[in-house]
Amino acid sequence: MKGLAELYVQQFKTTMAMMFQYRASLLIWMIGHVLEPLVYLIVWSVVATTGGGSVGDYTKTQFAAYFIVLMLVNNVTYTWIMYEFEYRIRHGSLSFALLKPVHPIHSDIADNVSSKVLTLPFMLAIAAVLALIFHPALSPPLWAIALFIPALLLAFLVRFLLEWTLAQAAFWTTRVSAINQTYFVLLLFLSGQIAPLSLMPHPVRILADILPFRWMVGFPVELLLGRLTLTEALMGLGVQAAWVIIGLVLLRVVWRAGVRVYSAVGA
Amino acid sequence: MSYLRLLAAFFRVSIRGELAYRVNFFVQLFQSLLGLGIALGGLAVIFSFTDTLGGWRPDEVLALVGVYFLVGGMIGLVIQPGMEELIDSIRTGTLDFTLTKPEDAQLLISIRRVEIWKLIDIVLGLIVLGTALVRLGGKVGGGEAAVFVLMLVAGGLIIYSFWLILATLSFWFVRVENILVIFQSMYEAGRWPISLYPGWLRYGLTFIVPVAFATTIPAEAMTSRLSTITLLGAVALAAVLLLVSRGFWRLGLRRYSGTSA
C-alpha cells in the first residue's frame, strides 16, 4: 500500500513536469473540450429563442447551465487511454510496463488525475466567463450539491474502467480506430452531450439508462441542475456503483486474456 | 500542366499503396458513415423541436452538412496529410530530399501525400448535398451553382493557405502539430450556420480560423443568401492569403537552409 502511494506521488510529479513542458498542447486540448459543448449550447439557445423561450423542459438559461456543467463534468471524466494504449501495443512500450511489479492502470490513473488537477482551474475560469456571457440558471438544492461530488467521482471511475477495458481491444486488432469511433458516437448521443437526455426520443432514453454512458456524464449534470428527485439521485449512485463493479470485473478478465495474447506476439 | 501530371502520379501511387489494405476501405466507409450519423442524428433531434434554425430550414442545414463533408473530405484528402508530412520532414530533416527535386517545393509538399479513402467523405458529402438540393426543389439555378463552385474554390484556397502558414511555423517552433488539432475541432463548428453564433465567435470563426469560408459561405451561395460583398470578400481574401502564405513559406525556407547545414 505504501509502495502504491509512492508510485502515485511519483507519477504526479512526472505528469506535472511533462504538462508544464507541453503547455501549448494543454491549451489546445482545452479548446476542443470547450468548443463542442459551446456549439450545442448556442444551437439549443437559438432553438429555445425561436420556440418562445424554451424547448421541452429546458429554458434558454437552463440550457446554458446544462452545457456549462456538462463541459466541466466531461473534462473531469474524459480519458485518452484508447489512443495511448494502441500506441503502447503497436510500439511495444507496454513490455516495460509489464516488467514493473504493479498493475499499469495505477500509473494511468495517477497520470489522468494529475493532468485534471492542472486543467481544472483553467476550465473553471472558462466556465466563469461562459457564465457571464450566457447567464445560466443554476439553483440546485443543497443535498444535490452534496451528492454531486460522489456522483462525479463514480462517473470518473465508471468511464475510466470501461475505457481502459475497451482500449485493450488493441491486443487483438490493429483497427481500433473504428471501435473507438463507434464508442464515441454512442457516448455523444447516449451520455447527453448533444442534447439533455430528457429531450431525446423515448427509446434513446431507455437505452441511455441501460447502457453505462449516461452514468459517465449525463447523470452528474442532471443532478447538479436539480432535475432529479432524491430517490432518483440515490438510485443513480447505486447504478454507478454497480457499473464500477462490472468495470472492475471486465477489466480483470480482459486484461488477463489480453496480456496472454500480447506475450505470444512479442516473444 | 506538369503539376496535374504529378498529382495524378501521386494519386496512382497512393491508390496502389492502399489497395494492399482493402479492408481499410470498409473501415473508412464505416467511420465516415458514423460521422454522418452524428451530424444527421443531431439535426433530427433539433428539428424535432423547431422548423427553422436561425432562419435556416431543415433542408438548407442539410445542404450545409453536405458542404461540411465535401470540404472536410477535400482537406483530409490532400491538405492535411501534406501539411502533416511537411511538419514531420522539417523536424526530421527529410525536407532536404524534397528541396533537391527539380519542381517547386511548395507544390510538391502540398500534393505529394494523398489520403485516398477521404474520397468517401467527398462522395458522401455530394450525396447529402444532392439530396438536400432535390428536396429544396428547383430553386437552385445555374447562376447559384456557378457561384457555389467559385466559393468552394475560394474557401479551399483560404483553408489551404491557412494550413500552409501554420505548418510553416514549424521552421521556428518544433511542436505545431497541435495547432492543426485546434483547426480540426474548430472545423466542427462549421457544421452549423455561422450566423447562429454570437458576434465574437462569428468573427473568430471567420477571420482567425477561416471555417466560415469553408462551409457556411458556399452553403449560403447554394441557398441564395450570399451578398455580393461576401462573395467579393471571399475571392479577395483567397488571393491575399495565397500570396501571404507563399511569402511566409519562402521566409521559412530561408531559415531551414540555416539549420540543416
Side-chain angles (χ1 to χ4, degrees), chain A residues 189-190 196-210 214, chain B residues 45 48-49:
Chain A
F189 279 94
L190 296 177
L197 285 167
S198 64
L199 296 185
M200 287 290 196
H202 197 60
V204 176
R205 271 192 344 240
I206 293 176
L207 214 56
D209 279 343
I210 299 170
R214 181 185 171 206
Chain B
V45 174
S48 68
F49 290 100

Side-chain angles (χ1 to χ4, degrees), chain B residues 76-91:
Chain B
L77 183 72
V78 282
I79 300 180
Q80 186 181 0
M83 293 305 148
E84 277 171 0
E85 186 157 314
L86 171 63
I87 292 171
D88 238 31
S89 63
I90 291 173
R91 191 163 37 116

